[in-house]
């Protein structure tokens, strides 16, 4: 009896402790426990997303356990909550990157007017370096005279060679300012753009475009060329000098200015068009410049900028520029931006030249309509190729800087270059004032030097005329040796006398006295005449 009583009490206690979820109100529902936690009743969850129940649910005697769907719904809701990870807040999208064309890695020193001014200052800085180094460090004139031997050819050669100062200035500016270091990637060797293939492509492009225009000009009868001769030393001397000049212009426009604009503006077309306009403006002072000539310079700038954008190949632009100038000026002897070379493999018959579709008498091939059409056609073909192949920018050298150093100022570069510009202008003003103050002294020195040169030339002329006479009669000291020969045959005794003075003595009779002018000779001749 006692055992039955104990069992009955236990069953009633178990019935009271049985979990009935349908009796819970919404305020009494508890959230699901995380997987692996123990419930207050001692039950353990089966895993993440499973309903939370106790290990065993006792059922009262005589009652049949009725399955309830309510716990399943509660457990499903708990599973959904536990299965989904907590939502992470997404970083706010930068409105500046989406809606503005300015890049965060650039600064006010990279905007169009400041960048253009800095590129001009860099050019002046390079010219100043060439002026300082000429004669003292780089004896360009002496080397040119030894190679060419012609003052006019050396003067024309130095017009190309003196651009070497821009190369030095560019290297200095890149090394001094860390923010410009990404420009090294566009300037130095790389496998995809600046390599041997790029050099060959540039030579073919420049020589092909210019050579085609010249060939068509010859066929149409606008120009006539004649072979002048090939001299290896001046040929390669001009090749190196033209490469220095063309490379300097490309470094300023397609590397320094182009990359500064790409660092500031998100739209590449700004860098392409602006640097081409600056490149055109630098050629406005060339002799014989025309509107078509300036248009062609602008199109050449666009073409080379597209090469840099799509292929990241500054080397192709440099060699294409050099091949164009070299073939036009040194190979075929035509005006290059209005300037004619003193040395060339072929010579232009200027009298027969006339304006045509592919030639302009004042500015050369660069001032012709046909050349503009050809360059424009090449630009269109590149754009169509990029559109069909979906080709974009080959390398953005400022992407990493934009992520790392957004909004960094580059003021020191502007400050240093501005100081250089002020120094150059001050030196030019002071130099012009000094020249005006000492103009008379300088003119006097120039006249004295020219007088000395004329005097030396006059002294050297008789010596050159007397040289053949000395070779004809080495034993005779008198200059008119040929006239003295008959007199010596007529009077052998007068061999020591000059021919012209001895002539009257020969006509005199043996008893005739000598004249006073022959006083020095009469004593010698009298014993012989007696």
């Amino acid at each position: 009896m006692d055992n039955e009583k104990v069992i009955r009490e236990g069953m009633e206690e178990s019935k009271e402790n049985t979990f009935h979820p349908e009796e819970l109100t919404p305020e009494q529902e508890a959230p699901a426990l995380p997987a692996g936690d123990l419930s207050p009743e001692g039950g353990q969850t089966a895993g993440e997303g499973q309903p939370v129940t106790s290990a065993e649910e006792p059922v009262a005697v005589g009652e049949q356990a009725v399955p309830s769907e309510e716990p399943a719904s509660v457990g499903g809701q708990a599973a959904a909550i536990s299965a989904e990870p907590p939502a992470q807040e997404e970083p706010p999208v930068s409105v500046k990157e989406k809606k503005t064309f300015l890049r965060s890695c650039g600064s006010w020193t990279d905007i169009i007017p400041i960048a253009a001014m800095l590129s001009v200052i860099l050019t002046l800085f390079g010219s100043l370096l060439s002026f300082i180094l000429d004669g003292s460090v780089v004896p360009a004139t002496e080397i040119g005279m030894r190679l060419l031997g012609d003052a006019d050819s050396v003067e024309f050669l130095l017009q190309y060679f003196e651009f070497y100062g821009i190369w030095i200035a560019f290297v200095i500016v890149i090394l001094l300012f860390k923010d410009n270091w990404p420009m090294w990637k566009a300037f130095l060797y790389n496998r995809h753009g600046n390599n041997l293939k790029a050099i060959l492509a540039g030579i073919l492009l420049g020589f092909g475009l210019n050579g085609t225009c010249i060939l068509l000009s010859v066929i149409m009868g606008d120009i006539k060329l004649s072979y002048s001769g090939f001299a290896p030393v001046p040929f390669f001397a001009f090749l190196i000098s033209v490469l220095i000049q063309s490379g300097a212009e490309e470094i300023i426009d397609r590397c320094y200015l182009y990359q500064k604009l790409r660092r500031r503006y998100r739209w590449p077309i700004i860098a392409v068009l602006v640097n081409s306009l600056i490149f055109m403006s630098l050629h406005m002072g060339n002799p014989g410049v025309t509107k078509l000539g300036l248009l062609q310079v602008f199109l050449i700038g666009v073409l080379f900028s597209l090469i840099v954008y799509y292929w990241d190949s500054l080397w192709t632009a440099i060699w294409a520029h050099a091949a164009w100038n070299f073939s036009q000026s040194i190979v075929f002897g035509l005006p290059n931006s209005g300037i004619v070379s003193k040395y060339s493999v072929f010579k232009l018959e200027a009298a027969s030249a006339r304006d045509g579709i592919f030639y302009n008498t004042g500015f050369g091939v660069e001032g012709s309509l046909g050349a503009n059409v050809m360059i424009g056609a090449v630009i269109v073909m590149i754009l169509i190729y990029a559109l069909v192949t979906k080709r974009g920018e080959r390398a953005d050298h400022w992407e990493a800087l934009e992520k790392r150093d957004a909004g960094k100022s580059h003021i020191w570069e502007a400050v240093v270059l501005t100081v250089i510009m002020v120094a150059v202008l001050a030196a030019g003003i002071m130099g012009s004032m000094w020249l005006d103050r000492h103009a008379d002294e300088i003119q006097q020195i120039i006249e004295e030097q020219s007088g000395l040169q004329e005097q030396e030339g006059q002294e050297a002329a008789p010596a050159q005329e007397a040289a053949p006479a000395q070779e004809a009669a080495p034993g005779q000291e008198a200059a008119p040796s040929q006239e003295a020969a008959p007199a010596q045959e007529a009077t052998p005794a007068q061999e020591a006398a000059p021919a012209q003075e001895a002539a009257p003595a020969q006509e005199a009779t043996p008893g005739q006295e000598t004249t006073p002018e022959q006083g020095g000779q009469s004593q010698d001749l009298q014993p012989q005449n007696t």
Side-chain angles (χ1 to χ4, degrees):
M1 294 293 295
D2 295 335
N3 292 334
E4 292 179 1
K5 184 178 180 180
V6 172
I7 293 173
R8 191 180 295 108
E9 291 177 356
M11 293 176 63
E12 291 177 359
E13 184 178 1
S14 299
K15 185 177 179 180
E16 294 176 358
N17 295 332
T18 302
F19 177 71
H20 297 283
E22 64 275 7
E23 298 178 359
L24 294 177
T25 61
E27 291 78 4
Q28 295 175 338
E29 292 180 3
L33 296 176
D37 290 350
L38 297 178
S39 62
E41 291 81 2
Q44 186 176 5
T45 58
E48 184 178 359
Q50 300 297 327
V52 180
T53 58
S54 59
E56 293 181 356
E57 293 185 3
V59 181
V61 178
E63 296 182 358
Q64 185 177 2
V66 179
S68 176
E69 296 179 0
E70 191 69 23
S73 63
V74 176
Q77 183 179 3
I81 296 175
S82 61
E84 295 180 359
Q88 298 180 355
E89 294 184 359
E90 297 181 358
V93 179
S94 175
V95 179
K96 186 177 182 180
E97 294 184 4
K98 293 294 183 180
K99 295 185 178 181
T100 184
F101 63 95
L102 297 178
R103 304 180 71 172
S104 58
C105 57
S107 68
W108 64 272
T109 59
D110 297 328
I111 62 176
I112 293 175
I114 304 299
M117 184 184 68
L118 292 179
S119 63
V120 174
I121 295 174
L122 183 60
T123 304
L124 296 176
F125 180 33
S127 301
L128 178 63
L129 289 178
S130 299
F131 177 78
I132 295 174
L133 297 177
D134 282 349
S136 59
V137 179
V138 182
T141 304
E142 291 77 3
I143 295 175
M145 288 299 297
R146 292 179 182 179
L147 294 177
L148 304 181
D150 181 19
D152 293 335
S153 299
V154 171
E155 181 181 359
F156 187 77
L157 178 71
L158 294 181
Q159 293 181 9
Y160 290 105
F161 181 76
E162 288 181 351
F163 279 76
Y164 73 89
I166 295 178
W167 289 72
I168 300 175
F170 172 78
V171 172
I172 292 175
V173 171
I174 301 303
L175 290 177
L176 284 180
F177 306 104
K178 186 177 180 181
D179 297 332
N180 291 335
W181 287 3
M183 292 185 187
W184 285 121
K185 300 178 181 178
F187 177 73
L188 299 177
Y189 169 84
N190 58 63
R191 293 183 178 180
H192 60 267
N194 295 338
N195 48 36
L196 182 59
K197 293 181 180 179
I199 295 176
L200 296 177
I203 294 174
L204 291 176
L205 178 62
F207 186 81
L209 285 174
N210 191 264
T212 302
C213 294
I214 294 174
L215 178 61
L216 293 175
S217 298
V218 173
I219 293 175
M220 294 180 179
D222 297 330
I223 59 175
K224 292 182 180 180
L225 301 177
S226 59
Y227 180 72
S228 177
F230 174 77
V233 174
F235 182 86
F236 288 103
F238 273 102
L239 176 60
I240 296 173
S241 300
V242 171
L243 181 61
I244 291 174
Q245 176 265 337
S246 303
E249 292 185 358
E250 292 303 312
I251 287 173
I252 292 295
D253 293 289
R254 251 67 68 184
C255 188
Y256 181 76
L257 178 58
Y258 175 88
Q259 294 298 336
K260 284 181 71 68
L261 296 174
R262 285 294 295 123
R263 182 169 63 184
R264 172 77 283 192
Y265 300 101
R266 194 175 306 279
W267 298 345
I269 190 173
I270 296 178
V272 171
L273 295 180
V274 170
N275 95 84
S276 301
L277 288 172
I278 300 300
F279 179 64
M280 180 190 70
S281 65
L282 295 176
H283 291 75
M284 287 184 175
N286 289 0
V289 65
T290 61
K291 294 180 180 179
L292 285 176
L294 291 177
L295 176 61
Q296 180 172 339
V297 174
F298 172 76
L299 292 177
I300 282 287
V302 173
L303 174 61
F304 293 161
S305 298
L306 292 178
I307 292 174
V308 172
Y309 176 77
Y310 285 117
W311 287 276
D312 190 30
S313 183
L314 179 67
W315 289 15
T316 299
I318 291 176
W319 280 92
H321 192 162
W324 175 281
N325 290 348
F326 184 78
S327 61
Q328 180 172 244
S329 182
I330 307 303
V331 176
F332 297 108
L334 302 181
N336 178 30
S337 296
I339 304 174
V340 181
S341 173
K342 302 298 181 180
Y343 165 80
S344 60
V345 178
F346 292 88
K347 291 293 184 181
L348 170 68
E349 297 179 6
S352 62
R354 64 184 184 185
D355 293 333
I357 298 178
F358 292 94
Y359 186 75
N360 179 269
T361 55
F363 209 63
V365 174
E366 296 175 348
S368 64
L369 176 62
N372 286 329
V373 173
M374 288 189 60
I375 297 174
V378 175
I379 293 174
V380 172
M381 287 189 292
I382 291 177
L383 294 176
I384 293 176
Y385 170 78
L387 181 63
V388 172
T389 60
K390 297 181 180 180
R391 190 180 189 92
E393 187 175 20
R394 183 63 178 85
D396 183 6
H397 300 298
W398 307 104
E399 185 177 2
L401 183 63
E402 184 177 15
K403 297 178 179 178
R404 184 177 69 251
D405 298 329
K408 190 172 183 179
S409 177
H410 312 289
I411 188 173
W412 286 112
E413 178 183 1
V415 170
V416 172
L417 291 180
T418 303
V419 170
I420 293 173
M421 180 187 67
V422 173
V424 171
L425 293 177
I429 294 173
M430 294 176 63
S432 62
M433 293 174 61
W434 185 88
L435 290 176
D436 293 339
R437 188 180 305 171
H438 300 82
D440 297 337
E441 298 177 3
I442 295 174
Q443 184 66 26
Q444 184 178 358
I445 294 173
I446 294 175
E447 291 178 356
E448 291 178 356
Q449 291 180 351
S450 61
L452 292 175
Q453 292 178 356
E454 292 179 358
Q455 184 177 358
E456 292 176 356
Q458 293 176 358
E459 293 176 355
Q464 295 178 356
E465 294 177 357
Q470 294 176 0
E471 294 177 358
Q476 297 179 2
E477 297 179 359
S481 58
Q482 295 180 356
E483 297 179 0
Q488 291 175 2
E489 292 178 359
T491 56
Q494 298 179 2
E495 295 179 356
Q500 295 179 355
E501 295 179 358
Q506 294 171 4
E507 296 177 358
T509 60
Q512 185 178 1
E513 296 180 357
T514 59
T515 59
E517 290 80 1
Q518 299 174 350
Q521 302 175 3
S522 60
Q523 296 178 0
D524 297 335
L525 297 176
Q526 188 174 5
Q528 297 178 3
N529 292 332
T530 56

